[in-house]
Amino acid sequence: MAYLKNAWYVSALSTEVGPVELFHRKIMDTSILIYRKEDGVAVALHDRCPHRFAPLHLGKRDGDQVICIYHALRFDCTGKCTHNPHGEGRIPQAAVVRSFPLEERHGMLWIWMGDQPADLARLPDFGPLDEGHPHGVGYTYMHMKANYELIIDNVMDLSHIDHLHGEIITTRGKLSPKVPQIKEGARSISARWEWEQTPAMLIFADHLPQPKEEARHFFDITWTPPANIQLSVGAVQNDGALDLANCVGQYDLHTTTPETENSTHYFFATRRNHIEDDAGYNDMKIKAMHAAFENEDGPVITAAHEEMGTTDFFSLKPVLMTNDIAPVKVRRLLSKLIKEEQRPDALAQ
Amino acid sequence: MAYLKNAWYVSALSTEVGPVELFHRKIMDTSILIYRKEDGVAVALHDRCPHRFAPLHLGKRDGDQVICIYHALRFDCTGKCTHNPHGEGRIPQAAVVRSFPLEERHGMLWIWMGDQPADLARLPDFGPLDEGHPHGVGYTYMHMKANYELIIDNVMDLSHIDHLHGEIITTRGKLSPKVPQIKEGARSISARWEWEQTPAMLIFADHLPQPKEEARHFFDITWTPPANIQLSVGAVQNDGALDLANCVGQYDLHTTTPETENSTHYFFATRRNHIEDDAGYNDMKIKAMHAAFENEDGPVITAAHEEMGTTDFFSLKPVLMTNDIAPVKVRRLLSKLIKEEQRPDALAQ
Amino acid sequence: MAYLKNAWYVSALSTEVGPVELFHRKIMDTSILIYRKEDGVAVALHDRCPHRFAPLHLGKRDGDQVICIYHALRFDCTGKCTHNPHGEGRIPQAAVVRSFPLEERHGMLWIWMGDQPADLARLPDFGPLDEGHPHGVGYTYMHMKANYELIIDNVMDLSHIDHLHGEIITTRGKLSPKVPQIKEGARSISARWEWEQTPAMLIFADHLPQPKEEARHFFDITWTPPANIQLSVGAVQNDGALDLANCVGQYDLHTTTPETENSTHYFFATRRNHIEDDAGYNDMKIKAMHAAFENEDGPVITAAHEEMGTTDFFSLKPVLMTNDIAPVKVRRLLSKLIKEEQRPDALAQ
């Protein structure tokens, strides 16, 4: 399957990789080893010894180095072989493990899987996740047995929330009739919805001045390649701006990483701007959102994936409607970027 | 795999589809939704929303309509989209779910999967199943991990019953030496065996005048496309006709529906002409027959399927004997009908 | 996958096939039935009835004959059909089950899967397994989810033992720096290591005159096609010859049989020359070795297999070192023998 390779994908939540653990995960069909050096900085290597192909995560650490379990070849955190206990100990030139650029930002470990030099300018700034009380932000990880583009589709078309999800985030039918405003960038697609509902979304109503009265709402989502969707949502009962600064709301990041063409690592982060210092509420909130993805979105996306198999989405002639404008634009732009990357002269760009 | 498409297959027993349930089953590699309208009439639709390919059985009913769980497109029982809650609510012309002709007869829901107009003349009459006391008939369903033609072979060659099955239906070696009389029609293959045994088959002996004495027996089976085998069997101790009217016996229907090329829905119905009003006996009888298929035929057919894989039966050069005449004639006629259906001019026939 | 066909593989341990059992095992993608005649001599047939492809092991025995469960065709131990209960009982000429030459030697049942005449000269002599006290020898069988050549690699490169295995067979780092002496025959590859360590390998130390002192050690391994590795290992504290006659040691046979290209039957036998009459020690010893293969070698070999898939080993460009000389020579010689066997004129050789 064609993936956008020269891009930053989340390989793991920061909290998934402990200080001494040899963490491993398959990313775009490749086995990846992730571990933190003694200074805490995380590194990523191909999880495969170049000698006999044993996974390195089965081995052990010695300081910042990794020792293969099978024949004890030792590699530093750049993948260079530093010790061969066999024969006279000569280290073959080819005894190198591929290393992958890894950046820790916004509570996540971002990996660059491509052959072009890693370009930090391509890692979007999700700074708002980092700003505020530590109990105002939550993170979760889900493994989904579906292609990652179906998960992007799901978030890019928020019209599903009244139909698929429960009472707690219902817009009482107000969202679906709205056709979102779309903005297209060279490497981004945004959609914005605005609506009124009475009462406000239940996740916000109690934090507004008049919980049972009407409130103005907005959703603002922006996809950036390869698979990030930043979503802001809020409600307000004053006449000010319809943005997070003036609303009771939250700043979320949905981001997906293909494991294979049939399975996806789904990472989610959410920062709210209300009752930020309540650890119990924070815990309940991220668990509830995790449960909604797993129990409500997950089964439908997985079932649709099983229906589609690996057949190309457009070749199945989906009936497309106004609510599909944003996800279809994302599919087309992503497809264009992948094709550009695969052009013979792509490296020279 | 090539299936005969323009034909009636059993999709479900009548009792499998409750009054409000959204029942689903994969038939010839296609996901099918079956439900009963409020008037009880069952209908069949492709179990896939044409928008984003979510299975419709995950959704809910509103009267005779079905609402997709994902984005709430609503379809009537013919598959026509009747409501789109998105944007201005325009219904795209392509928003149609394929519907399949469905006929409820003889306690079963028969589906027509082909592109030609459904032809009721092609649905054989198994009327005797419907005639008699309600406790004189039983139905069962089995899922088999084997190609459907192996199950047809099994019933078309009844010589296996003395070898594979237990005491209760043994012919005491009398059946195998008999070469059945074969009758071939344009769209049917029949086989008939007649023999004497002492005592009679144990399922009949106690219902005959002299349970320990010799009785004349017959088997009469008729295959009709695509996958129906009507089997009559009986025993008698008078000099009258060797048929169900004069014998203690039963009228059975074995019919199979491919789920995939490697798995089959196996439906079975049996009507007996003795102790018809005994609900307990009826229950015991259908359970015993179900158990025999599952525990005796099933493992052998499944194991043979695993040995054969998807290799064509004849290309494996099976050793064929007198007992294979009927099943081989069925395989050849079915293959001929499939080839005719696939000819470019088949629709015009 | 290409296997060396005209060669002897172990199909089962002698103890795996009881006196009346219809034992079955898949060997090189083919279902094999093994059973012992009434005189105890084991025979091997294709585990597939030539009529309807039911596995014969589901059937029953009548003396030295096997009766198919499905339609009761009866075959003698050479695979010849001796009885057909159907119709007039004529036995079709094609009603023959393929039989495979089977030799019971050294506690194992060796099968010849090829089309050329079985050649007993190609069955190596592992006679030392048979000589000595019955409590001085142990056998075990393991099923491994990995290609058989990876298991051969593992034994041909014993440098892994200090790294992968526990204290009990450690050479305290003395083995890895040694480059083994290699001997190449027309149909064999041998490797020999010699070293000193203090104390001796723990499996031998207590049986030497001075358990805590230095001892001289050797490993001697010889691969013969298709997949046998005879391994001798010993330790001594006198100045005599470094061989099993003069050492405390053991004579082992590792041999593998492909089930499929992704799974292997791994057989192991070990004969020691010390405390030979202790049944409890013998039992503990074979269980400990079985556990080491299953818990230490197994997971690494299986994980390497998963990393490699069915990709050719050399095409993955493994980094090869001094410890790989012996296994690489085996891979190359085996590959050469397979290619020779597949030449059009191979049968004439």
Side-chain angles (χ1 to χ4, degrees), chain A residues 28-59:
Chain A
M28 301 198 292
D29 304 311
T30 300
S31 300
I32 299 291
L33 168 73
I34 300 171
Y35 66 99
R36 292 184 183 281
K37 295 188 295 174
E38 295 188 328
D39 65 5
V41 174
V43 294
L45 299 177
H46 192 182
D47 188 22
R48 174 194 281 194
C49 181
H51 172 223
R52 285 283 179 174
F53 314 127
L56 293 173
H57 78 264
L58 294 176

Side-chain angles (χ1 to χ4, degrees), chain A residues 150 153-154 157 159-160 163-164 176-179 297 299-301 303-304 307-308 313 316-324 327-328 331, chain B residues 26 30-31 46-48 50-55 57-58 60 68-73 84-90 92-96:
Chain A
L150 291 180
D153 287 343
N154 183 58
D157 175 10
S159 76
H160 74 273
H163 313 298
L164 184 59
S176 285
K178 301 281 179 184
V179 180
D297 299 282
V300 173
I301 293 170
E307 273 298 305
M308 299 170 60
F313 174 70
L316 286 169
K317 299 189 181 159
V319 170
L320 297 173
M321 307 184 298
T322 50
N323 53 326
D324 294 297
V328 164
R331 280 188 175 264
Chain B
K26 185 175 282 186
T30 300
S31 300
H46 192 181
D47 188 21
R48 176 196 279 193
H51 172 224
R52 285 284 179 174
F53 314 127
H57 78 264
L58 294 176
K60 58 190 177 200
C68 179
I69 191 177
Y70 203 0
H71 301 90
L73 290 189
N84 168 12
H86 302 283
E88 295 178 1
R90 202 179 61 79
Q93 278 203 322
V96 176

Side-chain angles (χ1 to χ4, degrees), chain A residues 49-296:
Chain A
C49 181
H51 172 223
R52 285 283 179 174
F53 314 127
L56 293 173
H57 78 264
L58 294 176
K60 57 189 178 200
R61 292 183 60 155
D62 182 13
D64 287 351
Q65 307 203 359
V66 177
I67 302 169
C68 180
I69 191 177
Y70 203 180
H71 301 90
L73 290 189
R74 183 181 294 230
F75 301 94
D76 71 15
C77 64
T78 69
K80 195 182 136 196
C81 182
T82 58
H83 182 64
N84 167 12
H86 301 283
E88 295 178 359
R90 202 180 60 79
I91 294 172
Q93 277 203 324
V96 176
V97 177
R98 182 175 175 189
S99 76
F100 295 86
L102 199 74
E103 278 291 314
E104 186 156 17
R105 289 202 188 171
H106 316 312
M108 296 172 172
L109 294 159
W110 301 79
I111 195 168
W112 179 273
M113 299 290 290
D115 291 322
Q116 294 179 23
D119 180 358
L120 276 174
R122 295 236 169 130
L123 204 170
D125 182 2
F126 302 114
L129 287 175
D130 308 331
E131 294 150 18
H133 195 284
H135 292 157
V137 68
Y139 293 88
T140 196
Y141 162 77
M142 292 149 287
H143 185 265
M144 293 264 174
K145 289 191 175 168
N147 183 275
Y148 75 110
E149 291 194 72
L150 291 180
I151 301 172
I152 298 175
D153 287 343
N154 183 58
V155 183
M156 288 308 291
D157 175 10
L158 291 170
S159 76
H160 74 273
I161 65 173
D162 273 4
H163 313 298
L164 184 59
H165 295 296
E167 182 70 4
I168 199 139
I169 55 171
T170 182
T171 73
R172 309 197 178 280
K174 300 294 186 183
L175 190 70
S176 285
K178 301 281 179 184
V179 180
Q181 273 181 280
I182 308 285
K183 274 197 291 189
E184 298 183 65
R187 298 177 68 87
S188 70
I189 303 288
S190 300
R192 179 176 171 89
W193 293 257
E194 299 183 1
W195 75 99
E196 297 86 38
Q197 69 178 78
T198 309
M201 270 190 174
L202 295 189
I203 53 172
F204 301 134
D206 281 347
H207 311 295
L208 290 168
Q210 293 162 299
K212 298 186 174 166
E213 302 303 313
E214 187 184 67
R216 293 187 297 139
H217 290 68
F218 77 98
F219 265 130
D220 236 331
I221 60 175
T222 297
W223 170 85
T224 47
N228 311 305
I229 302 172
Q230 195 279 309
L231 177 158
S232 294
V233 56
V236 71
Q237 286 172 333
N238 64 36
D239 295 334
L242 203 49
D243 60 20
L244 270 188
N246 187 45
C247 291
V248 171
Q250 62 193 58
Y251 176 100
D252 297 348
L253 176 62
H254 296 256
T255 184
T256 66
T257 302
E259 179 181 54
T260 66
E261 63 182 335
N262 294 309
S263 58
T264 299
H265 306 294
Y266 186 0
F267 303 94
F268 174 72
T270 181
R271 158 71 70 184
R272 70 187 180 285
N273 64 7
H274 47 285
I275 43 167
E276 289 180 77
D277 57 356
D278 184 334
Y281 183 87
N282 200 45
D283 191 49
M284 177 278 293
K285 168 114 186 165
I286 192 69
K287 281 186 178 146
M289 297 195 74
H290 183 105
F293 298 137
E294 290 258 315
N295 304 331
E296 296 170 8

Side-chain angles (χ1 to χ4, degrees), chain B residues 153-154 157 159-160 163-164 176-177 179 299-301 303-304 307-308 313 316-324 327 331, chain C residues 31 46-48 50-55 58 60 68-73 84-88 90 92 94-96:
Chain B
D153 287 343
N154 184 58
D157 175 10
S159 76
H160 75 274
H163 313 299
L164 183 60
S176 286
V179 180
V300 172
I301 293 170
E307 271 299 306
M308 298 169 61
F313 174 70
L316 286 169
K317 300 190 180 159
V319 170
L320 297 174
M321 307 185 299
T322 50
N323 52 326
D324 294 298
R331 280 188 174 264
Chain C
S31 300
H46 192 181
D47 188 21
R48 174 195 282 194
H51 173 223
R52 285 283 179 175
F53 314 127
L58 294 176
K60 58 190 176 197
C68 180
I69 191 177
Y70 203 0
H71 301 90
L73 290 189
N84 168 11
H86 301 284
E88 297 177 1
R90 202 178 61 79
V96 176

Side-chain angles (χ1 to χ4, degrees), chain B residues 257-276:
Chain B
T257 303
E259 179 181 56
T260 67
E261 63 181 336
N262 295 310
S263 58
T264 298
H265 306 294
Y266 187 178
F267 303 94
F268 175 72
T270 180
R271 159 71 70 184
R272 69 187 179 284
N273 64 7
H274 47 285
I275 44 169
E276 290 181 76

Side-chain angles (χ1 to χ4, degrees), chain C residues 21-293:
Chain C
E21 184 182 2
L22 294 175
F23 180 87
H24 68 106
R25 180 163 277 162
K26 185 175 281 184
I27 294 179
M28 299 198 293
D29 305 311
T30 300
S31 300
I32 300 290
L33 168 73
I34 299 171
Y35 67 98
R36 292 183 183 282
K37 294 188 295 175
E38 295 188 328
D39 65 5
V41 174
V43 294
L45 298 177
H46 192 181
D47 188 21
R48 174 195 282 194
C49 181
H51 173 223
R52 285 283 179 175
F53 314 127
L56 292 173
H57 79 265
L58 294 176
K60 58 190 176 197
R61 293 182 61 154
D62 182 13
D64 287 351
Q65 305 203 0
V66 178
I67 302 169
C68 180
I69 191 177
Y70 203 0
H71 301 90
L73 290 189
R74 183 182 294 231
F75 301 94
D76 71 15
C77 65
T78 69
K80 195 181 136 196
C81 182
T82 58
H83 182 63
N84 168 11
H86 301 284
E88 297 177 1
R90 202 178 61 79
I91 294 172
Q93 277 203 322
V96 176
V97 178
R98 181 176 176 189
S99 76
F100 296 86
L102 199 74
E103 277 292 314
E104 186 156 18
R105 290 203 188 171
H106 317 313
M108 297 173 172
L109 294 158
W110 302 78
I111 195 167
W112 179 273
M113 300 289 291
D115 291 322
Q116 295 179 22
D119 181 357
L120 276 174
R122 294 235 170 132
L123 204 171
D125 181 2
F126 302 114
L129 287 175
D130 308 331
E131 295 150 17
H133 194 283
H135 292 158
V137 69
Y139 293 87
T140 196
Y141 162 77
M142 292 148 286
H143 185 264
M144 293 263 173
K145 290 191 175 169
N147 184 274
Y148 75 110
E149 292 195 70
L150 292 180
I151 301 172
I152 298 176
D153 287 342
N154 183 59
V155 183
M156 288 308 292
D157 175 10
L158 291 170
S159 76
H160 75 273
I161 65 173
D162 273 4
H163 313 300
L164 183 60
H165 295 298
E167 183 69 5
I168 199 141
I169 54 170
T170 181
T171 73
R172 307 195 179 283
K174 299 295 184 181
L175 190 71
S176 285
K178 301 280 178 184
V179 179
Q181 274 181 282
I182 307 286
K183 274 197 291 190
E184 297 183 66
R187 297 177 69 87
S188 71
I189 303 289
S190 299
R192 179 176 170 89
W193 291 257
E194 300 182 1
W195 74 99
E196 297 85 40
Q197 69 177 79
T198 309
M201 271 191 174
L202 295 189
I203 53 172
F204 301 133
D206 282 347
H207 311 296
L208 289 169
Q210 293 163 300
K212 297 186 174 166
E213 302 304 312
E214 188 184 65
R216 293 187 298 139
H217 290 68
F218 77 97
F219 265 130
D220 235 330
I221 61 176
T222 297
W223 170 86
T224 47
N228 312 305
I229 302 172
Q230 194 280 308
L231 177 158
S232 294
V233 55
V236 70
Q237 285 173 333
N238 64 36
D239 295 334
L242 204 49
D243 59 21
L244 270 188
N246 187 45
C247 290
V248 171
Q250 63 194 57
Y251 175 100
D252 296 349
L253 176 62
H254 297 256
T255 184
T256 66
T257 302
E259 178 180 55
T260 66
E261 64 182 333
N262 295 309
S263 57
T264 298
H265 306 295
Y266 187 178
F267 303 94
F268 175 72
T270 181
R271 158 72 70 182
R272 69 188 180 285
N273 64 8
H274 47 286
I275 45 170
E276 288 180 77
D277 56 355
D278 184 335
Y281 184 87
N282 201 43
D283 192 50
M284 176 280 294
K285 167 114 187 165
I286 192 70
K287 281 187 177 146
M289 296 195 76
H290 183 105
F293 298 137

